[in-house]
Amino acid sequence: MPATDLTQVVILGASGDLTSRKLVPAVYAAQCQHLLPGRCQLVGVARRPWDDAFFRNHLTQSAPKLEACSYDSWEAFLKQTTYVQTHLDTPDDYRALAKRLDELAGEPANRVFYLAVKPELFLTSVENLHAVGLLDQSAGPWRRVVVEKPFGTDLASARVLNKALLGLIGEDQLYRIDHYLGKETVQNIMVFRFRNAMFEPLWNHKYVELVQITVAETVGMEGGRGGYYDTAGAVRDMLGNHVLQLLSLVAMEPPSRMTQKAIRDEKVKVLQDLRLHTDMPEPAKYIVRGQYDGYRAETGVKPESQTETFIATRAFIDNWRWGGVPFLLRTGKHLPARYTSISVQFRMPPHTLFGSYQECHLRPNTLTLRIQPNEGIDLGFEVKEPGAGITIKPAKLAMDYEDYFHKAIPEAYQRLLQDVITGDQSLFLRSDEVEESWRWADDLLKAMQQTPMQSYAKNSWGPSAANDLFGECEGRWTKG
Ligand code: BG6
């Protein structure tokens, strides 16, 4: 029996964008749909001298338009929402916070501390929470901490942060979030692979020629992100986390059961076996980095910045299943479309009966998992065009989520916050997973320094050299 069914979701850094755009709507939607296991109070914590009324008004102004609840209204939800002014680097303020949380609950309560704060404040906040006993679970109710990315800036700093945090709380209390794992279509990767007998027998080097993953964005540095982004770049911001998560779900071995340990163990193994295409002597042959025109003039960006806003690379997974199969990964800002997809390109049949397989454009069997937008799955194959002779034409079977299920796809944060409250860590990164991702990203960042920074026009698909990452007759990017 849980000690209490009351949970306080305490957001540190509550005056920021993430809180109003994603976190509060997620809690509201989960409550509306009766998806939370008990009662819930939302508490915003930040430095600004706001009060409850100001905070509530701020949320109403800045949250996206939310569908009304069937049983409850936004106004009723806001009544249970409070604001506590706290300087997150001032230990004394946490004593006051602890007292206020107790008063608000009026009874024992579970607590989620969501760190929607600058990375420099991750450890300080946890140390301060710990120092006033807010992370102590010995009285019964649980205490969980959610950490946003970036988790460190390289392998060494991620290790230091892991060690320091795990010196204060248990791994079972620490939820390292990657919001891509909360996306409905990302979660479907495992169902698609492991619940259908049809595809998994083909899911290996014998039948798969190449896998490509694209996360393309149309946005740039909107919302004053230039300062942060210029210290991160496309590898740290997207490739080394979101794209690697997609890769590990596509490439992992089936877990023996759907437990958080089994799933995370298998994902870690893929990351351990991931390497760059280092058999090529020149990194420029397997890494293409780019910067969009006008990036250096963005607010917060250094005028001589060498930060990449586009990255594409060719990687391999050195294991029995994937030996020799290239994984082409690409992400960038200011590309022509918002488009995230995974394409599994199958090999040609072993013997030529129709046409010549030397024709390089012939790569008929491709399975594309469309992650966003227009979520769905496409299976490409070839058919005979009706009429005399044999003319072969590409065709596809397509499934669209919204058409099929006639319902909107929930926001990633909603699912992930529900999982924090129910205590399921399957969709959160374990310390070894973060470290293995950094191991690979560090190698990439190092090798990338030996490649030229190429500029690209906004609204283009990045430097054209990204097309040369495909070997002869290996096809091309599914878009662009
Ligand atoms: C964030 C990155 O983690 O993901 C942003 O910091 C990026 O730069 C965003 O724009 C993309 O998320 P989504 O859900 O819009 O694909």
Side-chain angles (χ1 to χ4, degrees), residues 307-333:
T307 299
E308 76 291 349
T309 60
F310 175 96
I311 182 82
T313 190
R314 184 177 168 99
F316 287 93
I317 297 170
D318 286 337
N319 65 17
W320 198 267
R321 183 188 284 263
W322 294 115
V325 177
F327 281 73
L328 277 93
L329 314 175
R330 161 179 84 152
T331 184
K333 300 274 187 206

mmCIF file of all heavy atoms in Angstrom, residues 307-333:
data_model
loop_
_atom_site.group_PDB
_atom_site.id
_atom_site.type_symbol
_atom_site.label_atom_id
_atom_site.label_comp_id
_atom_site.label_asym_id
_atom_site.label_seq_id
_atom_site.Cartn_x
_atom_site.Cartn_y
_atom_site.Cartn_z
ATOM 1 N N THR A 307 30.174 26.733 -33.707
ATOM 2 C CA THR A 307 29.185 25.744 -33.256
ATOM 3 C C THR A 307 28.392 25.220 -34.447
ATOM 4 O O THR A 307 27.931 26.001 -35.281
ATOM 5 C CB THR A 307 28.241 26.407 -32.235
ATOM 6 O OG1 THR A 307 29.042 26.823 -31.135
ATOM 7 C CG2 THR A 307 27.162 25.460 -31.757
ATOM 8 N N GLU A 308 28.217 23.902 -34.471
ATOM 9 C CA GLU A 308 27.483 23.296 -35.599
ATOM 10 C C GLU A 308 25.980 23.339 -35.347
ATOM 11 O O GLU A 308 25.532 23.055 -34.228
ATOM 12 C CB GLU A 308 27.968 21.863 -35.861
ATOM 13 C CG GLU A 308 27.487 20.776 -34.903
ATOM 14 C CD GLU A 308 28.047 20.872 -33.490
ATOM 15 O OE1 GLU A 308 28.971 21.652 -33.244
ATOM 16 O OE2 GLU A 308 27.524 20.130 -32.618
ATOM 17 N N THR A 309 25.238 23.722 -36.379
ATOM 18 C CA THR A 309 23.773 23.682 -36.272
ATOM 19 C C THR A 309 23.231 22.524 -37.117
ATOM 20 O O THR A 309 22.027 22.316 -37.197
ATOM 21 C CB THR A 309 23.155 25.003 -36.771
ATOM 22 O OG1 THR A 309 23.522 25.193 -38.141
ATOM 23 C CG2 THR A 309 23.644 26.186 -35.955
ATOM 24 N N PHE A 310 24.151 21.829 -37.757
ATOM 25 C CA PHE A 310 23.795 20.651 -38.573
ATOM 26 C C PHE A 310 24.901 19.624 -38.376
ATOM 27 O O PHE A 310 26.073 19.962 -38.345
ATOM 28 C CB PHE A 310 23.741 21.044 -40.055
ATOM 29 C CG PHE A 310 23.497 19.878 -40.983
ATOM 30 C CD1 PHE A 310 22.209 19.581 -41.418
ATOM 31 C CD2 PHE A 310 24.554 19.068 -41.419
ATOM 32 C CE1 PHE A 310 21.985 18.495 -42.274
ATOM 33 C CE2 PHE A 310 24.320 17.981 -42.266
ATOM 34 C CZ PHE A 310 23.038 17.707 -42.698
ATOM 35 N N ILE A 311 24.486 18.379 -38.234
ATOM 36 C CA ILE A 311 25.484 17.312 -38.157
ATOM 37 C C ILE A 311 24.919 16.071 -38.836
ATOM 38 O O ILE A 311 23.740 15.753 -38.691
ATOM 39 C CB ILE A 311 25.887 17.016 -36.686
ATOM 40 C CG1 ILE A 311 26.963 15.941 -36.605
ATOM 41 C CG2 ILE A 311 24.694 16.604 -35.838
ATOM 42 C CD1 ILE A 311 28.340 16.443 -36.830
ATOM 43 N N ALA A 312 25.765 15.420 -39.598
ATOM 44 C CA ALA A 312 25.366 14.135 -40.194
ATOM 45 C C ALA A 312 26.563 13.217 -40.086
ATOM 46 O O ALA A 312 27.712 13.666 -40.239
ATOM 47 C CB ALA A 312 24.964 14.329 -41.653
ATOM 48 N N THR A 313 26.316 11.968 -39.795
ATOM 49 C CA THR A 313 27.431 11.032 -39.682
ATOM 50 C C THR A 313 27.011 9.615 -40.047
ATOM 51 O O THR A 313 25.821 9.309 -40.118
ATOM 52 C CB THR A 313 28.056 11.078 -38.270
ATOM 53 O OG1 THR A 313 29.265 10.323 -38.279
ATOM 54 C CG2 THR A 313 27.133 10.486 -37.220
ATOM 55 N N ARG A 314 28.027 8.815 -40.265
ATOM 56 C CA ARG A 314 27.813 7.420 -40.631
ATOM 57 C C ARG A 314 28.429 6.604 -39.504
ATOM 58 O O ARG A 314 29.617 6.747 -39.207
ATOM 59 C CB ARG A 314 28.556 7.197 -41.944
ATOM 60 C CG ARG A 314 28.415 5.870 -42.580
ATOM 61 C CD ARG A 314 29.179 5.906 -43.912
ATOM 62 N NE ARG A 314 29.326 4.569 -44.436
ATOM 63 C CZ ARG A 314 28.543 4.050 -45.377
ATOM 64 N NH1 ARG A 314 27.599 4.764 -45.932
ATOM 65 N NH2 ARG A 314 28.724 2.807 -45.788
ATOM 66 N N ALA A 315 27.617 5.797 -38.866
ATOM 67 C CA ALA A 315 28.104 5.056 -37.698
ATOM 68 C C ALA A 315 27.829 3.566 -37.884
ATOM 69 O O ALA A 315 27.071 3.158 -38.775
ATOM 70 C CB ALA A 315 27.394 5.566 -36.452
ATOM 71 N N PHE A 316 28.446 2.767 -37.022
ATOM 72 C CA PHE A 316 28.240 1.313 -37.073
ATOM 73 C C PHE A 316 27.995 0.760 -35.683
ATOM 74 O O PHE A 316 28.455 1.338 -34.694
ATOM 75 C CB PHE A 316 29.471 0.627 -37.669
ATOM 76 C CG PHE A 316 29.593 0.844 -39.143
ATOM 77 C CD1 PHE A 316 30.352 1.897 -39.629
ATOM 78 C CD2 PHE A 316 28.913 0.043 -40.035
ATOM 79 C CE1 PHE A 316 30.435 2.124 -40.989
ATOM 80 C CE2 PHE A 316 28.994 0.265 -41.397
ATOM 81 C CZ PHE A 316 29.753 1.305 -41.883
ATOM 82 N N ILE A 317 27.297 -0.361 -35.654
ATOM 83 C CA ILE A 317 27.095 -1.041 -34.376
ATOM 84 C C ILE A 317 27.827 -2.366 -34.494
ATOM 85 O O ILE A 317 27.455 -3.230 -35.307
ATOM 86 C CB ILE A 317 25.597 -1.248 -34.099
ATOM 87 C CG1 ILE A 317 24.906 0.118 -33.986
ATOM 88 C CG2 ILE A 317 25.395 -2.063 -32.829
ATOM 89 C CD1 ILE A 317 23.400 0.047 -33.957
ATOM 90 N N ASP A 318 28.875 -2.511 -33.721
ATOM 91 C CA ASP A 318 29.720 -3.697 -33.842
ATOM 92 C C ASP A 318 29.146 -4.846 -33.027
ATOM 93 O O ASP A 318 29.634 -5.144 -31.933
ATOM 94 C CB ASP A 318 31.138 -3.367 -33.350
ATOM 95 C CG ASP A 318 31.880 -2.501 -34.355
ATOM 96 O OD1 ASP A 318 31.521 -2.517 -35.543
ATOM 97 O OD2 ASP A 318 32.826 -1.808 -33.930
ATOM 98 N N ASN A 319 28.118 -5.472 -33.537
ATOM 99 C CA ASN A 319 27.637 -6.681 -32.872
ATOM 100 C C ASN A 319 27.138 -7.672 -33.930
ATOM 101 O O ASN A 319 27.190 -7.402 -35.131
ATOM 102 C CB ASN A 319 26.584 -6.365 -31.794
ATOM 103 C CG ASN A 319 25.302 -5.782 -32.364
ATOM 104 O OD1 ASN A 319 25.019 -5.877 -33.563
ATOM 105 N ND2 ASN A 319 24.505 -5.171 -31.505
ATOM 106 N N TRP A 320 26.688 -8.813 -33.487
ATOM 107 C CA TRP A 320 26.330 -9.896 -34.399
ATOM 108 C C TRP A 320 25.183 -9.495 -35.323
ATOM 109 O O TRP A 320 25.174 -9.782 -36.502
ATOM 110 C CB TRP A 320 25.933 -11.124 -33.568
ATOM 111 C CG TRP A 320 25.957 -12.402 -34.344
ATOM 112 C CD1 TRP A 320 24.909 -12.970 -34.984
ATOM 113 C CD2 TRP A 320 27.087 -13.243 -34.548
ATOM 114 N NE1 TRP A 320 25.299 -14.131 -35.596
ATOM 115 C CE2 TRP A 320 26.648 -14.326 -35.331
ATOM 116 C CE3 TRP A 320 28.424 -13.195 -34.139
ATOM 117 C CZ2 TRP A 320 27.490 -15.349 -35.729
ATOM 118 C CZ3 TRP A 320 29.256 -14.217 -34.536
ATOM 119 C CH2 TRP A 320 28.790 -15.272 -35.330
ATOM 120 N N ARG A 321 24.213 -8.802 -34.775
ATOM 121 C CA ARG A 321 23.034 -8.446 -35.553
ATOM 122 C C ARG A 321 23.350 -7.397 -36.627
ATOM 123 O O ARG A 321 22.861 -7.479 -37.744
ATOM 124 C CB ARG A 321 21.949 -7.895 -34.617
ATOM 125 C CG ARG A 321 20.644 -7.558 -35.321
ATOM 126 C CD ARG A 321 19.692 -6.830 -34.383
ATOM 127 N NE ARG A 321 19.060 -7.697 -33.431
ATOM 128 C CZ ARG A 321 17.832 -8.224 -33.575
ATOM 129 N NH1 ARG A 321 17.130 -7.974 -34.661
ATOM 130 N NH2 ARG A 321 17.322 -8.990 -32.644
ATOM 131 N N TRP A 322 24.174 -6.418 -36.267
ATOM 132 C CA TRP A 322 24.302 -5.244 -37.147
ATOM 133 C C TRP A 322 25.659 -5.096 -37.821
ATOM 134 O O TRP A 322 25.891 -4.087 -38.498
ATOM 135 C CB TRP A 322 24.004 -3.964 -36.346
ATOM 136 C CG TRP A 322 22.586 -3.888 -35.900
ATOM 137 C CD1 TRP A 322 22.142 -3.901 -34.622
ATOM 138 C CD2 TRP A 322 21.412 -3.811 -36.729
ATOM 139 N NE1 TRP A 322 20.768 -3.831 -34.583
ATOM 140 C CE2 TRP A 322 20.295 -3.781 -35.876
ATOM 141 C CE3 TRP A 322 21.184 -3.785 -38.108
ATOM 142 C CZ2 TRP A 322 18.984 -3.718 -36.339
ATOM 143 C CZ3 TRP A 322 19.883 -3.717 -38.584
ATOM 144 C CH2 TRP A 322 18.805 -3.689 -37.708
ATOM 145 N N GLY A 323 26.551 -6.072 -37.627
ATOM 146 C CA GLY A 323 27.895 -5.944 -38.190
ATOM 147 C C GLY A 323 27.856 -5.483 -39.651
ATOM 148 O O GLY A 323 27.213 -6.111 -40.490
ATOM 149 N N GLY A 324 28.505 -4.395 -39.976
ATOM 150 C CA GLY A 324 28.636 -3.911 -41.357
ATOM 151 C C GLY A 324 27.484 -3.073 -41.868
ATOM 152 O O GLY A 324 27.543 -2.571 -42.990
ATOM 153 N N VAL A 325 26.421 -2.913 -41.072
ATOM 154 C CA VAL A 325 25.277 -2.115 -41.559
ATOM 155 C C VAL A 325 25.486 -0.640 -41.163
ATOM 156 O O VAL A 325 25.586 -0.329 -39.972
ATOM 157 C CB VAL A 325 23.945 -2.604 -40.938
ATOM 158 C CG1 VAL A 325 22.780 -1.724 -41.403
ATOM 159 C CG2 VAL A 325 23.702 -4.053 -41.286
ATOM 160 N N PRO A 326 25.571 0.264 -42.137
ATOM 161 C CA PRO A 326 25.740 1.669 -41.761
ATOM 162 C C PRO A 326 24.464 2.265 -41.179
ATOM 163 O O PRO A 326 23.360 1.988 -41.663
ATOM 164 C CB PRO A 326 26.103 2.369 -43.074
ATOM 165 C CG PRO A 326 25.898 1.387 -44.162
ATOM 166 C CD PRO A 326 25.581 0.048 -43.589
ATOM 167 N N PHE A 327 24.642 3.065 -40.149
ATOM 168 C CA PHE A 327 23.541 3.850 -39.576
ATOM 169 C C PHE A 327 23.870 5.307 -39.893
ATOM 170 O O PHE A 327 24.860 5.849 -39.388
ATOM 171 C CB PHE A 327 23.448 3.639 -38.059
ATOM 172 C CG PHE A 327 22.761 2.353 -37.692
ATOM 173 C CD1 PHE A 327 23.405 1.130 -37.873
ATOM 174 C CD2 PHE A 327 21.463 2.346 -37.191
ATOM 175 C CE1 PHE A 327 22.762 -0.063 -37.566
ATOM 176 C CE2 PHE A 327 20.811 1.156 -36.876
ATOM 177 C CZ PHE A 327 21.466 -0.045 -37.057
ATOM 178 N N LEU A 328 23.071 5.904 -40.758
ATOM 179 C CA LEU A 328 23.304 7.296 -41.124
ATOM 180 C C LEU A 328 22.397 8.192 -40.288
ATOM 181 O O LEU A 328 21.174 8.014 -40.287
ATOM 182 C CB LEU A 328 23.058 7.499 -42.617
ATOM 183 C CG LEU A 328 24.310 7.104 -43.408
ATOM 184 C CD1 LEU A 328 24.239 5.678 -43.837
ATOM 185 C CD2 LEU A 328 24.529 8.029 -44.565
ATOM 186 N N LEU A 329 23.018 9.103 -39.576
ATOM 187 C CA LEU A 329 22.286 9.929 -38.610
ATOM 188 C C LEU A 329 22.430 11.393 -39.003
ATOM 189 O O LEU A 329 23.523 11.825 -39.372
ATOM 190 C CB LEU A 329 22.871 9.719 -37.203
ATOM 191 C CG LEU A 329 23.136 8.264 -36.793
ATOM 192 C CD1 LEU A 329 23.837 8.220 -35.435
ATOM 193 C CD2 LEU A 329 21.828 7.469 -36.734
ATOM 194 N N ARG A 330 21.335 12.122 -38.887
ATOM 195 C CA ARG A 330 21.399 13.523 -39.335
ATOM 196 C C ARG A 330 20.407 14.369 -38.535
ATOM 197 O O ARG A 330 19.278 13.953 -38.288
ATOM 198 C CB ARG A 330 21.036 13.509 -40.827
ATOM 199 C CG ARG A 330 20.597 14.778 -41.425
ATOM 200 C CD ARG A 330 20.293 14.627 -42.917
ATOM 201 N NE ARG A 330 18.957 14.137 -43.184
ATOM 202 C CZ ARG A 330 18.247 14.396 -44.302
ATOM 203 N NH1 ARG A 330 18.794 15.104 -45.278
ATOM 204 N NH2 ARG A 330 17.031 13.913 -44.469
ATOM 205 N N THR A 331 20.842 15.551 -38.160
ATOM 206 C CA THR A 331 19.922 16.492 -37.524
ATOM 207 C C THR A 331 20.399 17.914 -37.805
ATOM 208 O O THR A 331 21.588 18.148 -38.000
ATOM 209 C CB THR A 331 19.812 16.254 -35.995
ATOM 210 O OG1 THR A 331 18.836 17.153 -35.457
ATOM 211 C CG2 THR A 331 21.113 16.486 -35.252
ATOM 212 N N GLY A 332 19.470 18.849 -37.833
ATOM 213 C CA GLY A 332 19.882 20.231 -38.079
ATOM 214 C C GLY A 332 18.747 21.206 -37.843
ATOM 215 O O GLY A 332 17.566 20.834 -37.809
ATOM 216 N N LYS A 333 19.156 22.462 -37.678
ATOM 217 C CA LYS A 333 18.207 23.571 -37.502
ATOM 218 C C LYS A 333 18.029 24.280 -38.831
ATOM 219 O O LYS A 333 18.941 24.283 -39.659
ATOM 220 C CB LYS A 333 18.770 24.583 -36.506
ATOM 221 C CG LYS A 333 19.049 24.025 -35.125
ATOM 222 C CD LYS A 333 17.818 24.080 -34.273
ATOM 223 C CE LYS A 333 18.109 23.695 -32.847
ATOM 224 N NZ LYS A 333 16.941 23.161 -32.159
#
